Each structure stands twice: as C-alpha cells, then as structure tokens.
Amino acid sequence: VVSTQSTWGSYFRCEPMRRSISREMLGLWQVSCDPKLVRQVLVVCTANLLQVTCGYGIGFSSPCLSQLAKEEFFSPENSSWFASTLVIGQIFGSLLGPVLADKVGRRKACAVGAFFSIFGWALIGLSSLEWMLFVGRAITGFFDCLSVPVGIMYVSEISETKLKGSFLNSSAIASGIGIALAYFTGTVFYWRYACAFPIVFSGLVIFLLSFCQESPVYLLTQDKPALPSLNWYRETKEASKENDLEIERELKDLRISNILSAEGLSRLYRN
C-alpha cells in the first residue's frame, strides 16, 4: 500500500512538468501549422511534382523500349531516337523556361508547362505511328524541362531564408523519385498505361497552382503591388506587429535586390 501511495504521489508531483511539456509540444505544432508554412509547402510540392514528371520522362524510355520493339513501332536503328528526341526538347525547354517566367510569371509558366506536358504524354500514349512517338517525346522533353527551372525560381522567391535550402534540395529527391517511378511503372504496366501517370501529375499541378499566389519578386519586376502576395506567404495564425514589420523589411530588401539586379543587367548590356 505504501509503495502504491508513493507511486501515485510521484505521479501527481510530476503533473505540472507534464503539462508544461504538453504546452511546449502544442506550441510547436501550432508553429508548424502556420498558414505561411502550409502555403510555402504547397508551392514546393507543386514544383516537385513538375520535377517528378521530368524525371519520369528520363526513366520512361529504358523499361518501355523492349515493349515498343516487340510491337515493331520502329526499326532497331531508329530506337535510339526515342530517347534522343526527349533530350533535344529538354535543351530548348531549359533555356526558354526562365524567359517565359519573366514574361508571364512563375505561376502561369508552370501551368503552361504542365498543360502541354499533358498533351505530349497523351500523344505518346495514343501513338499509332513512329513519328507520333518521337514528336510526343520532344514535346514532353521541352515542356517538362521548361517547367523545372521555373519551379525552382518560384520556390526560391516565395521561401523564407531559413527554409529555402531544404525546399530547393527537395527538387533533386523529386527528380530521382520520378526516374524510379518510371522504371517501376514501365516494368509493371503496359507502356500506354504507364503514360497516364505523368498526365495525372501535370493535372494535379494545374489544380494546385489555382490555390497559389504569384511570386512577389516577379510582381516587383513588373511594377505591380507585391505586398498582398508576400503577406499571403508570410501570414501567421496570430497577427502581430512584429510579423508585419518583418514583412515590410523583407519587401524592402526585395525591392533593393530587384533594383540592384536591374542596374547590373543594364551595365552588362552597355559593356
């Protein structure tokens, strides 16, 4: 009985400490669920889906070539073009992606890449002739790689400094997942059915982008109000003057950085 009483006594003596730990854990949970973190993660996940789709295109050719060869879609000497046309599209897409992002914005550029990626993968999946396969591969290579640098720009411009490194590093993981997924689906599924996966990914990207705001950095370059966008990406559960001041400071830094970049480019062109 004595031992039981001492046990319960120690339990109740520890109760204040347990409550303190619970409050700390609850505080951490509330911080982790801040709207600003959820919204930044939303953009990161959307951009990483673009990376998964690009990686999927790279890994798609290896497991599916044997199936295509059995169906005699192309001659053995032309089989290398199935992989090569993707790379040709990727080269031009990577170069033109940032240009498009500066013209129409990061969000719209990602949506354009995802939309035409759906068209390219649908063309591959519905192909009945050799040239349709090659054209489809070139289209997917172009638009998938067009979206990749734009997605990275988008993530880097909306992320907080303390999270930016982790967010950007996740893109390499997403690309690897896409390649591995292509090997898996190309081995398990019929090659036409395997084309459905990147179509779903790109459709999901377009859907998720509808919930995102444009990058405040892009809005500044276009002389448009950037504060509403930055407020959306930095909103906390509880409004505070400190957070408002921090947002104003960040916006000021972005303006200065934008001015310095414009001056640097103008000097480069003059020289």
Side-chain angles (χ1 to χ4, degrees):
V1 177
V2 175
S3 62
T4 304
Q5 290 176 346
S6 62
T7 302
W8 282 106
S10 61
Y11 177 86
F12 286 112
R13 282 195 298 272
C14 294
E15 183 66 19
M17 183 177 68
R18 278 195 295 275
R19 287 180 180 175
S20 176
I21 294 172
S22 298
R23 283 195 296 270
E24 289 178 5
M25 292 177 67
L26 182 60
L28 290 172
W29 170 255
Q30 289 174 339
V31 168
S32 66
C33 291
D34 263 346
K36 65 177 181 179
L37 180 61
V38 173
R39 291 165 184 176
Q40 291 174 66
V41 169
L42 175 65
V43 174
V44 173
C45 291
T46 304
N48 282 346
L49 277 174
L50 295 170
Q51 290 280 0
V52 169
T53 305
C54 185
Y56 194 96
I58 295 170
F60 181 76
S61 56
S62 270
C64 293
L65 269 175
S66 58
Q67 296 185 45
L68 291 166
K70 288 178 182 177
E71 296 183 20
E72 298 181 350
F73 255 91
F74 39 68
S75 58
E77 56 270 16
N78 286 340
S79 62
S80 61
W81 282 102
F82 185 68
S84 301
T85 48
L86 177 81
V87 177
I88 293 170
Q90 286 177 331
I91 293 170
F92 293 101
S94 299
L95 293 173
L96 294 178
V99 177
L100 181 65
D102 287 338
K103 292 292 183 182
V104 302
R106 289 36 166 162
R107 191 169 68 129
K108 288 182 181 178
C110 288
V112 167
F115 177 80
F116 285 102
S117 176
I118 292 174
F119 174 75
W121 280 106
L123 182 61
I124 295 172
L126 299 173
S127 295
S128 57
L129 298 170
E130 181 183 86
W131 69 267
M132 295 175 71
L133 279 174
F134 295 158
V135 171
R137 288 286 280 173
I139 291 173
T140 56
F142 180 85
F143 285 103
D144 287 346
C145 262
L146 178 144
S147 304
V148 166
V150 179
I152 292 173
M153 291 170 66
Y154 197 5
V155 170
S156 67
E157 290 173 357
I158 61 93
S159 300
E160 294 178 278
T161 304
K162 63 182 179 181
L163 299 172
K164 190 173 296 186
S166 299
F167 285 163
L168 292 176
N169 286 337
S170 66
S171 63
I173 299 172
S175 180
I177 290 173
I179 295 172
L181 184 62
Y183 275 96
F184 173 75
T185 57
T187 304
V188 174
F189 298 100
Y190 180 47
W191 68 272
R192 292 187 190 274
Y193 300 152
C195 293
F197 288 88
I199 292 175
V200 172
F201 298 153
S202 295
L204 188 56
V205 165
I206 295 172
F207 174 73
L208 293 175
L209 284 171
S210 64
F211 297 99
C212 300
Q213 294 279 335
E214 182 54 83
S215 160
V217 175
Y218 169 74
L219 294 173
L220 285 174
T221 61
Q222 303 299 307
D223 294 325
K224 295 179 180 179
L227 184 58
S229 172
L230 188 61
N231 272 327
W232 192 79
Y233 285 113
R234 298 294 182 266
E235 183 181 346
T236 56
K237 276 191 170 183
E238 297 179 0
S240 65
K241 290 185 178 180
E242 291 181 3
N243 189 54
D244 292 341
L245 291 172
E246 184 64 32
I247 292 172
E248 290 177 6
R249 281 195 294 267
E250 185 174 358
L251 183 62
K252 184 179 179 181
D253 291 341
L254 290 175
R255 284 200 180 105
I256 293 171
S257 177
N258 183 49
I259 292 170
L260 291 176
S261 320
E263 290 178 352
L265 287 173
S266 63
R267 288 174 186 172
L268 180 63
Y269 288 132
R270 284 198 300 269
N271 294 335

